[in-house]
Each structure stands twice: as C-alpha cells, then as structure tokens.
Amino acid sequence: TDFSIGNTFVEYFGLKGHAQYDIIIERKRNICQKYNLKLIEIYPEQLFSKNFSSILHNLVSNLRVAV
C-alpha cells in the first residue's frame, strides 16, 4: 500500500500492464477482498488526467473518512 486514509488503503498501480506487476495487483485485490479491506486503485491514466480531481473525488466519495 502506498498510503492509507483512515481504514482505506490507497495504491498507485503505476506499472499496470507489466505481467509480473499485474500479478501483484491481483494479489493485493484478493487480500483486500479476503479481509474486507477498502482499496482505492489509482492508475497512471487517471493520475495524469486533466480530470484527476474529479476522478479522485469519485473514488473517495463513498468513504467516510476525516482528512
């Protein structure tokens, strides 16, 4: 996990598309699902989008965290 906000983990999957890294992504998703953990996934095309602030807002809109 790159960082957390409250009880939610935030992960930047910057190497998506590389076979070995994609396996790691899937493992992280499975761990979060198994332990009922919240995971926000951020990808390069989102991070470098002109609309990143609205994308981020949509990703966290259902979370109840104090930031």
Side-chain angles (χ1 to χ4, degrees), residues 8-62:
T8 301
F9 297 105
V10 180
E11 184 76 39
Y12 174 65
F13 293 128
L15 296 175
K16 177 188 158 208
H18 293 73
Q20 290 296 90
Y21 193 73
D22 289 346
I23 293 168
I24 293 168
I25 290 172
E26 194 59 35
R27 284 183 189 157
K28 289 181 180 186
R29 286 179 182 152
N30 290 337
I31 289 168
C32 287
Q33 185 176 15
K34 179 178 178 178
Y35 294 103
N36 199 28
L37 302 170
K38 295 178 185 173
L39 175 66
I40 294 176
E41 300 179 17
I42 300 175
Y43 296 93
E45 61 271 15
Q46 294 171 314
L47 184 62
F48 299 109
S49 167
K50 291 180 182 179
N51 301 322
F52 180 67
S53 61
S54 64
I55 292 169
L56 186 59
H57 181 274
N58 290 336
L59 289 170
V60 298
S61 64
N62 294 326

